[in-house]
Amino acid sequence: MFTGVPFALTGGILALWLRDIPLSISAGVGFIALSGVAVLNGLVMISFIRSLREEGRSLEAAIHEGALTRLRPVLMTALVASLGFIPMAIATGTGAEVQRPLATVVIGGILSSTVLTLLVLPLLYRLAHWREEGD
């Protein structure tokens, strides 16, 4: 579940670099918020896969069904947060120097975290539990 945090941090740092925004306190606050969303997305995915395994599904079937079933909730979480921060990311008025880094980190980090959560997390789950398939 916590593997989403490095995925998110990578995207946040890359977004700051692409927009040529220095690391600041408000960007740090963005990283904190981002870590919470990344862990939540991982928790949604892994907990559903585990519940499918407890129902008796094979490892492959549980991962496949879990990833497909939780695709919409993970994408909705990411889209709501990302779209909500777009006005802050493009702001130019008073206080924009505080808003832009925070919004940039959250948008970039959520996008990278979501993609990697949907693609890499099921793979990591499979690698961690491949021995249990023989049971």
Side-chain angles (χ1 to χ4, degrees), residues 76-119:
M76 289 304 293
T77 302
L79 283 175
V80 165
S82 295
L83 294 176
F85 277 101
I86 287 177
M88 287 175 62
I90 60 175
T92 57
T94 306
E97 63 277 353
V98 174
Q99 295 175 359
R100 269 196 315 263
L102 186 142
T104 299
V105 164
V106 171
I107 292 170
I110 283 179
L111 292 178
S112 69
S113 171
T114 301
V115 169
L116 293 171
T117 295
L118 292 171
L119 299 175

Side-chain angles (χ1 to χ4, degrees), residues 2-82:
F2 291 106
T3 57
V5 175
F7 299 158
L9 296 180
T10 303
I13 291 168
L14 183 65
L16 285 175
W17 179 72
L18 287 174
R19 292 197 65 197
D20 198 28
I21 297 175
L23 187 63
S24 62
I25 297 297
S26 65
V29 171
F31 282 116
I32 292 169
L34 181 61
S35 297
V37 173
V39 169
L40 176 67
N41 281 343
L43 180 65
V44 165
M45 176 82 68
I46 295 299
S47 65
F48 191 71
I49 292 172
R50 290 179 94 189
S51 70
L52 291 173
R53 290 286 288 155
E54 289 171 0
E55 290 176 5
R57 301 250 171 79
S58 69
L59 180 64
E60 289 296 319
I63 290 172
H64 186 263
E65 185 179 339
L68 286 177
T69 304
R70 291 300 173 216
L71 175 66
R72 186 180 303 159
V74 169
L75 284 178
M76 289 304 293
T77 302
L79 283 175
V80 165
S82 295

Side-chain angles (χ1 to χ4, degrees), residues 59 122-132:
L59 180 64
L123 231 156
L124 290 175
Y125 188 87
R126 175 200 247 169
L127 289 173
H129 296 280
W130 66 273
R131 289 192 175 126
E132 295 174 12

